[in-house]
Amino acid sequence: MAGPLEQFEVNTIVPLEVAGYDISITNSAVYMAITLLTIMFFMVGGMRKTALVPGRWQSSVEMCYEFIAKMLGDTAGPDGRKYFPFVFTLFMFILAANLIGMVPWVHAFTVTSHIAVTFAMAFFIFIGVTIIGFIKHGIGFLKFFVPGDAPVALLPLLVVIEVVSYLSRPISLSVRLFANMVAGHTMLKVFGGFVVSLAAAGGVLAVGSIVPFAFIVALTGLELLVACLQAYVFAVLTCIYLNDALHMH
Amino acid sequence: MPQLDPAVFIPQIFWLFVVFAALYIFIARSAAPKISEVLKRRQDTITDDLANAEKLQAKAEEARIAFEKSQEDARNNAAAIVLSKREELKAEADAEYQKLSDALSKKADEAQKRINEAKEKALGEVRNVAADVCADIVSQISGLKLDAKAVSKAVNAKTDDVLKGDG
């Protein structure tokens, strides 16, 4: 039987190498493409006839849009408007990847359960936000690391703390999503393993397999919530970082 | 943990970049503008409809006020007509009454005059007759020739006294 971590394995489907770099098409790449197509289908389908009074599908697309637009407006203000497409893309991508990873039976691969993916996104955001900060405020952006109303004696220490906390942003952002996805999927697999071994044992134990099964049902609900919540958290933190860069607190 | 194998980093990051870029272009160029246009159109429609409704309401209010005003006018008009008609009829009736009462009082006056004349005449006759009778009686009895004028004067005085006593 497959171990609980086997679901995270990346398997090469079409080996590819360009300039010494391995860019093979893997199951991860396939699921990213599925994520992309799902989002496109969702949006094109929802907007195929743009009705004044929207149907369910159109309403869902509009709700996603307005949810992110409102969140961005609330956190980053009107200056953040031009980064809306990026935040919207980010949210939709993570949300779709998380939810597609929850599809049972098909050995669904969760793209966001890989630190390489989450860290790449977080690092991109980190670099991008830092560049925006420097473009907007020039060298004055460094004042961001100096707390305004702190005693002078404490400043050196506080600046170090601020810098470390700033540098650790991409790590906390990526690990949060990664760890949540890994933990949830591992737990589901572990309980799934219990169900199988108990059922295989036969007799009274087979009847007892209903208990871990019930756990799986409950956990699946919880994981669906986590999938949406983590996409939201990732997007909202991105907005907060963006706001820091635009307005320096 | 398969995630920590460095061999899987590069292909994942590469394809993530490709897919994310494709999705970004799709959303930024096609999906987001379309959605925002729909939302804007809806907002505009709602705003327009609300403005229209307000305008129509104002118009209805205006019409109501105009209607009430015309109703009020009509009522006042009717009252004025009734009043003036009543005045007119009253004046007519008064005039008629006056004419009738004038005619009647004239007739009454005439009748009174005729009565007075008749009475006067009758009284004159009576005096003449009384004076004649008186003169005849006196001449018969005493054989005196009396002056007719003095007799008539004395009789008249006596008659006046009698009439005064009566009256």
Side-chain angles (χ1 to χ4, degrees), chain A residues 71-72 75-76 80 83 86-87 90 121-134 137 141 144 164-176 233-249:
Chain A
M71 185 187 77
L72 182 63
T75 26
Y83 305 105
F86 177 76
V87 180
L90 192 70
M121 292 192 291
F123 195 69
F124 182 82
I125 291 162
F126 173 73
I127 295 293
V129 159
T130 308
I131 290 173
I132 290 169
F134 276 111
H137 306 288
F141 185 57
F144 180 71
V164 169
S165 102
Y166 189 77
L167 292 178
S168 63
R169 277 176 173 184
I171 300 167
S172 64
L173 186 58
S174 58
V175 168
R176 184 180 299 111
V233 166
F234 205 99
V236 87
L237 282 172
T238 303
C239 290
I240 289 170
Y241 297 162
L242 192 61
N243 181 47
D244 284 347
L246 291 171
H247 306 118
M248 310 218 352
H249 290 302

Side-chain angles (χ1 to χ4, degrees), chain B residues 95-115:
Chain B
E96 204 76 17
Y97 172 79
Q98 196 61 42
K99 218 163 90 188
L100 208 58
S101 102
D102 281 357
L104 283 178
S105 73
K106 206 169 136 199
K107 247 182 205 168
D109 284 353
E110 261 166 29
Q112 190 63 45
K113 217 166 115 194
R114 267 209 312 273
I115 289 169

Side-chain angles (χ1 to χ4, degrees), chain B residues 48-63:
Chain B
D48 284 2
D49 285 1
L50 281 180
N52 252 345
E54 218 161 278
K55 228 168 29 193
L56 288 177
Q57 198 179 20
K59 233 186 219 169
E61 183 67 13
E62 230 166 72

Side-chain angles (χ1 to χ4, degrees), chain B:
Chain B
M1 229 177 173
Q3 287 97 326
L4 301 179
D5 174 12
V8 303
F9 287 178
I10 299 295
Q12 282 195 101
I13 292 170
F14 173 77
W15 287 112
L16 172 68
F17 186 79
V18 170
V19 166
F20 200 90
L23 185 61
Y24 178 79
I25 290 167
F26 165 71
I27 285 181
R29 291 282 159 80
S30 162
K34 209 166 177 182
I35 299 168
S36 92
E37 195 226 295
V38 171
L39 293 177
K40 193 180 168 306
R41 205 174 62 208
R42 180 173 313 142
Q43 194 54 52
D44 289 353
T45 312
I46 290 169
T47 315
D48 284 2
D49 285 1
L50 281 180
N52 252 345
E54 218 161 278
K55 228 168 29 193
L56 288 177
Q57 198 179 20
K59 233 186 219 169
E61 183 67 13
E62 230 166 72
R64 190 182 67 82
I65 287 169
F67 165 73
E68 266 173 18
K69 197 176 164 314
S70 73
Q71 202 179 24
E72 183 71 33
D73 285 354
R75 199 179 296 135
N76 289 344
N77 236 352
I81 289 172
V82 166
L83 201 67
S84 77
K85 208 71 193 167
R86 191 191 290 152
E87 296 278 300
E88 203 176 290
L89 288 176
K90 189 164 169 310
E92 216 168 273
D94 282 353
E96 204 76 17
Y97 172 79
Q98 196 61 42
K99 218 163 90 188
L100 208 58
S101 102
D102 281 357
L104 283 178
S105 73
K106 206 169 136 199
K107 247 182 205 168
D109 284 353
E110 261 166 29
Q112 190 63 45
K113 217 166 115 194
R114 267 209 312 273
I115 289 169
N116 283 350
E117 268 169 19
K119 197 172 150 189
E120 210 59 43
K121 210 170 136 191
L123 275 181
E125 288 299 309
V126 165
R127 282 170 216 254
N128 289 342
V129 170
D132 284 352
V133 169
C134 217
D136 278 353
I137 291 173
V138 170
S139 62
Q140 289 271 323
I141 295 172
S142 63
L144 282 171
K145 199 83 164 144
L146 287 175
D147 181 25
K149 257 191 184 159
V151 170
S152 128
K153 203 176 166 189
V155 168
N156 264 348
K158 199 71 203 162
T159 316
D160 280 347
D161 279 355
V162 170
L163 284 175
K164 255 180 206 147
D166 287 353

Side-chain angles (χ1 to χ4, degrees), chain A:
Chain A
M1 203 180 69
L5 294 179
E6 210 171 284
Q7 57 179 326
F8 302 120
E9 258 165 28
V10 175
N11 306 309
T12 302
I13 296 167
V14 181
L16 269 179
E17 206 178 297
V18 171
Y21 290 106
D22 177 20
I23 55 160
S24 306
I25 295 176
T26 59
N27 55 344
S28 166
V30 168
Y31 269 91
M32 285 179 197
I34 292 174
T35 305
L36 171 68
L37 292 176
T38 307
I39 296 169
M40 285 174 121
F41 175 74
F42 174 63
M43 291 192 167
V44 172
M47 288 284 141
R48 70 198 182 286
K49 44 174 201 271
T50 49
L52 196 63
V53 178
R56 287 178 211 179
W57 196 345
Q58 191 185 334
S59 229
S60 317
V61 178
E62 285 173 7
M63 265 163 67
C64 291
Y65 180 98
E66 286 184 312
F67 176 63
I68 296 300
K70 187 176 182 307
M71 185 187 77
L72 182 63
D74 288 350
T75 26
D79 300 346
R81 275 277 342 137
K82 62 176 164 175
Y83 305 105
F84 172 77
F86 177 76
V87 180
F88 193 34
T89 307
L90 192 70
F91 174 76
M92 291 309 293
F93 183 77
I94 296 171
L95 179 67
N98 289 353
L99 288 176
I100 286 169
M102 287 303 297
V103 175
W105 302 305
V106 294
H107 297 284
F109 182 85
T110 314
V111 175
T112 42
S113 68
H114 272 253
I115 186 73
V117 171
T118 59
F119 189 76
M121 292 192 291
F123 195 69
F124 182 82
I125 291 162
F126 173 73
I127 295 293
V129 159
T130 308
I131 290 173
I132 290 169
F134 276 111
I135 289 176
K136 188 101 179 169
H137 306 288
I139 201 75
F141 185 57
L142 288 176
K143 279 211 285 287
F144 180 71
F145 301 109
V146 185
D149 48 355
V152 181
L154 280 176
L155 270 186
L157 182 64
L158 288 176
V159 168
V160 171
I161 291 173
E162 287 286 330
V163 171
V164 169
S165 102
Y166 189 77
L167 292 178
S168 63
R169 277 176 173 184
I171 300 167
S172 64
L173 186 58
S174 58
V175 168
R176 184 180 299 111
L177 176 57
F178 157 72
N180 267 288
M181 289 300 113
V182 171
H185 284 270
T186 308
M187 206 137 71
L188 281 175
K189 256 308 196 291
V190 167
F191 277 102
F194 286 164
V195 174
V196 173
S197 16
L198 281 176
V204 182
L205 289 176
V207 178
S209 70
I210 193 82
V211 175
F213 186 77
F215 263 97
I216 292 181
V217 172
L219 272 177
T220 305
L222 180 69
E223 281 309 305
L224 286 173
L225 175 73
V226 169
C228 299
L229 193 68
Q230 286 305 318
Y232 170 68
V233 166
F234 205 99
V236 87
L237 282 172
T238 303
C239 290
I240 289 170
Y241 297 162
L242 192 61
N243 181 47
D244 284 347
L246 291 171
H247 306 118
M248 310 218 352
H249 290 302

